[in-house]
Amino acid sequence: MRILFVAAEAAPLAKVGGMGDVVGALPQVLRAMGHDVRVFMPYYGFLPDKLKIPKEPIWWGNAMYQKFAVFETTLPKTDVPLYLFGHPSFMPRRVYYGEDEDWRFTLFANGAAEFCWNYWKPQIVHCHDWHTGMIPVWMKETPDMGTVFTIHNLAYQGPWRWFLERITWCPWYMEGHNVMAAAVQFADRVTTVSPTYAGQIQTASYGENLEGLLSYISGKMSGILNGIDTMAYNPETDRYIVENFNADTVERRKTNKVALQEELGLEVNSGSFLIGMVTRLVEQKGLDLVIQIMDQLLSFTDSQFIMLGTGDRYYETQMWQMASRHPGRMSTQILFNDALSRRIYSGCDALVMPSRFEPCGISQMLAMRYGCIPIVRQTGGLVDTVSHNDPVNEVGTGYCFDRYEPLDFFTSMVRASEAFRYKDHWRRLQQRAMQQNFSWENSAREYLKVYEEVAANYPSQPAAAQPEPGMTV
C-alpha cells in the first residue's frame, strides 16, 4: 500500500510530544514490512541544523492564495522519504505557539491535500491531530484515497468553524464546530494511541466536550498502543549511559545510579531510593500532585528526586524552589536532553507519572526497558502498559494508584520505597519490567489491519504522474 503520514512532528527532527515518536518510528517499520510509506511535515526554520535539505524544491503549489514549495529528503538514518512543506510562516525556529498557529497549520493541511491530488497519490492519508484535521473533510471529494485520523491529544482541537470559513475552503457538506469535530466525522477510521484512552474519551471526564460525538462514531474508532524503538533504546548498547546491562545483569545499574548522583550534585548513596520524572511541565502531567507530596517524601525518607523537562513557567518555578529546599536530595533540570533522560532511566530506581490524563505515554515504557520501575496513575495508556506489582504472586511491573488525590499518590510512593528495601524482590520486579515487549512491530500490525479495512473501500489506482521539479500545478 501507498501511505502518506501527514503530521506537525516527526522524531528526531521535530518532537514535542508522543506524536513525534509515532511519526518518526512507525513509517520505518511499515516500510520494512513492504509498504511504500512517506512522511509530509512542515519545513521548520531549525531543520537545516539537523539534516541536509536540497536547495531546490521538487514541486511548487498554491493553497489559500499562498504559494508554497515542497522539498524532498529522508528521515535521518532511514530510507523513509520525507516531504517538507516550505512556507515563510514556518521559518521561525519553533514548532507550536504564536498568533498565527491556526492559520499556518490550516495552510499546511491544505498544502498536503494539494500535494496528494497533484504530485504523489497515496491510497491512505494518515492524519495526526487537529493540524491535519481538515484533510479527511477535503478527501471526501476524492473517490480513490482513504483517510485515517489519529487523536494524540484531544485537549487541542484546532480553530472554530467560523474562523475556518474565513481562511479556507469549507465544503457544503462539512459538519462540526471545530477541526477536531470535523475530522472524526469524515475520516474513514479514527484511532487513538491506547485502547483505554479510546474508551475514556467517550466519557464526560475525558471527552473535552466531544464525548457525545466520539460515542456516536465509536464504531469506526479503535485504540492502538504506541511502541518504542527497542534498538535505539537498548540498555545493552546505549552509548549515553555509563554501564551497559540487561535483565540478567541488572545489578550493574548501581554504577549508573552513582554516576547520575555525581553528575547532578546529589548525595552519593546507592542505597537511597532514587526517583526520576521526565516530562513536559504542564498541568496534564500531574505536577500538582508532585508539588503537594514531594516535600514530605524528601523530608521524612532518604529518597532522592530528579526532575527533567520544560513547560509552564509556574511549574518550572515550583520545581526550582523545591530543589532549593532540598539540596543534595533533589535536582531540577529545566531542559530537553535525550542523553540525560536515558541516564535517568538507567540510574533511577523508579519513575513517576501521576498524570491527570495520558493518551498513551512513552516514558513509562522507556523506563521499564531500562529496569526503572514506573509509579503511575491508572489512566489512558498507563493502564495498558503498567500492571500493579503483586509481591505474593510475583506478577506486575510497577505501582499504580487510581484517584487523582495526593494521598493516593503518596501511598504508592511509600509502597514502592518500602519494596525497594527487599533487594531480591526488587530485582525480580525489574526483570519482569525489562522483559515487556513494547516494540513498534506489534503496533504496526494493528495499524495495517486498519489500513487494509480502509483500502478495501477504495479502488487501487496508480500513483499520480509526478511533475518536473519546479513545475506549478
Side-chain angles (χ1 to χ4, degrees):
M1 287 183 288
R2 299 185 307 278
I3 306 163
L4 183 68
F5 277 59
V6 185
E9 303 176 31
L13 299 175
K15 172 177 157 39
V16 177
M19 182 204 304
D21 293 301
V22 176
V23 180
L26 183 57
Q28 300 180 49
V29 180
L30 292 170
R31 282 185 72 87
M33 293 178 173
H35 301 279
D36 186 358
V37 185
R38 309 183 187 188
V39 176
F40 190 97
M41 68 174 286
Y43 188 156
Y44 297 111
F46 55 80
L47 289 185
D49 300 341
K50 298 186 176 185
L51 82 166
K52 187 176 181 180
I53 303 172
K55 292 183 179 180
E56 294 297 324
I58 59 168
W59 185 66
W60 290 92
N62 292 279
M64 291 167 52
Y65 303 103
Q66 301 288 315
K67 189 175 183 179
F68 64 87
V70 176
F71 298 81
E72 184 176 17
T73 180
T74 58
L75 281 174
K77 299 180 180 179
T78 75
D79 64 344
V80 179
L82 174 65
Y83 299 110
L84 299 175
F85 174 82
H87 185 268
S89 62
F90 287 98
M91 282 298 99
R93 300 175 67 86
R94 57 181 167 86
V95 177
Y96 301 129
Y97 307 113
E99 295 179 354
D100 63 342
E101 180 163 316
D102 290 347
W103 181 88
R104 67 182 188 138
F105 279 113
T106 303
L107 174 64
F108 165 67
N110 210 319
E114 293 289 341
F115 180 80
C116 294
W117 285 325
N118 297 295
Y119 188 83
W120 187 72
K121 181 176 290 186
Q123 291 172 276
I124 305 292
V125 185
H126 191 161
C127 308
H128 296 263
D129 266 355
W130 77 261
H131 319 95
T132 61
M134 286 299 292
I135 295 176
V137 180
W138 295 323
M139 287 301 163
K140 282 299 178 184
E141 294 285 305
T142 307
D144 53 359
M145 274 189 274
T147 56
V148 175
F149 182 74
T150 295
I151 301 172
H152 295 271
N153 195 329
L154 189 61
Y156 304 98
Q157 299 181 7
W160 293 85
R161 172 73 178 263
W162 65 264
F163 182 75
L164 291 170
E165 290 178 341
R166 285 160 173 76
I167 64 173
T168 192
W169 174 47
C170 292
W172 64 269
Y173 54 80
M174 177 178 168
E175 297 178 357
H177 63 282
N178 62 27
V179 173
M180 184 73 76
V184 299
Q185 291 183 79
F186 287 92
D188 294 291
R189 284 292 301 271
V190 177
T191 69
T192 67
V193 288
S194 72
T196 297
Y197 189 63
Q200 286 183 328
I201 60 176
Q202 298 177 47
T203 68
S205 298
Y206 296 90
E208 302 290 346
N209 297 317
L210 288 184
E211 60 272 9
L213 175 60
L214 293 169
S215 296
Y216 177 73
I217 60 97
S218 60
K220 65 175 182 180
M221 183 166 64
S222 57
I224 301 175
L225 192 67
N226 283 347
I228 59 174
D229 189 336
T230 55
M231 296 297 292
Y233 291 93
N234 185 351
E236 287 190 277
T237 59
D238 196 331
R239 62 187 178 91
Y240 294 109
I241 66 178
V242 175
E243 181 77 21
N244 293 115
F245 61 96
N246 57 34
D248 296 323
T249 59
V250 70
E251 63 277 357
R252 294 181 183 175
R253 293 184 83 257
K254 186 178 294 186
T255 302
N256 295 317
K257 181 177 183 177
V258 171
L260 184 62
Q261 290 172 326
E262 292 175 344
E263 177 183 357
L264 299 182
L266 300 177
E267 297 173 1
V268 177
N269 179 3
S270 63
S272 65
F273 187 53
L274 182 58
I275 306 162
M277 189 172 186
V278 180
T279 186
R280 288 182 294 119
L281 300 178
V282 294
E283 186 264 350
Q284 169 201 341
K285 299 298 183 178
L287 274 303
D288 297 325
L289 297 185
V290 173
I291 292 170
Q292 292 180 73
I293 69 100
M294 196 55 68
D295 276 315
Q296 289 84 344
L297 188 73
L298 295 177
S299 298
F300 298 106
T301 71
D302 66 348
S303 301
Q304 298 177 340
F305 183 49
I306 299 171
M307 167 66 72
L308 172 65
T310 61
D312 294 347
R313 182 62 58 86
Y314 168 76
Y315 292 117
E316 291 181 354
T317 302
Q318 290 292 317
M319 293 300 108
W320 273 115
Q321 292 177 346
M322 187 181 300
S324 69
R325 294 194 293 270
H326 302 279
R329 303 286 303 288
M330 177 176 172
S331 173
T332 295
Q333 303 294 316
I334 305 297
L335 68 156
F336 176 83
N337 189 318
D338 180 63
L340 179 56
S341 71
R342 294 165 185 255
R343 292 194 288 275
I344 290 174
Y345 296 138
S346 67
C348 285
D349 300 302
L351 182 94
V352 294
M353 293 184 69
S355 302
R356 184 180 294 274
F357 66 93
E358 193 65 63
C360 179
I362 295 292
S363 294
Q364 80 279 13
M365 292 186 273
L366 295 175
M368 285 188 277
R369 177 79 169 148
Y370 286 79
C372 182
I373 303 305
I375 303 172
V376 304
R377 179 165 176 256
Q378 290 183 304
T379 184
L382 301 178
V383 174
D384 300 315
T385 53
V386 182
S387 55
H388 192 69
N389 179 41
D390 180 350
V392 176
N393 298 306
E394 295 208 346
V395 295
T397 56
Y399 286 85
C400 309
F401 66 100
D402 187 18
R403 299 184 305 165
Y404 191 80
E405 295 289 344
L407 180 60
D408 292 42
F409 180 35
F410 186 77
T411 301
S412 289
M413 299 279 280
V414 171
R415 285 176 175 171
S417 63
E418 286 296 308
F420 177 70
R421 297 167 54 193
Y422 299 89
K423 302 304 180 186
D424 290 341
H425 161 77
W426 191 262
R427 183 178 65 256
R428 292 193 292 273
L429 174 60
Q430 289 176 306
Q431 290 172 333
R432 291 198 299 274
M434 294 181 71
Q435 290 164 357
Q436 301 300 302
N437 181 9
F438 296 118
S439 69
W440 271 110
E441 282 75 12
N442 296 332
S443 302
R445 284 190 287 270
E446 293 301 313
Y447 276 110
L448 278 177
K449 294 178 183 177
V450 173
Y451 297 149
E452 289 167 356
E453 291 175 2
V454 173
N457 297 321
Y458 294 88
S460 179
Q461 297 287 340
Q466 299 181 359
E468 293 295 324
M471 179 182 294
T472 300
V473 177

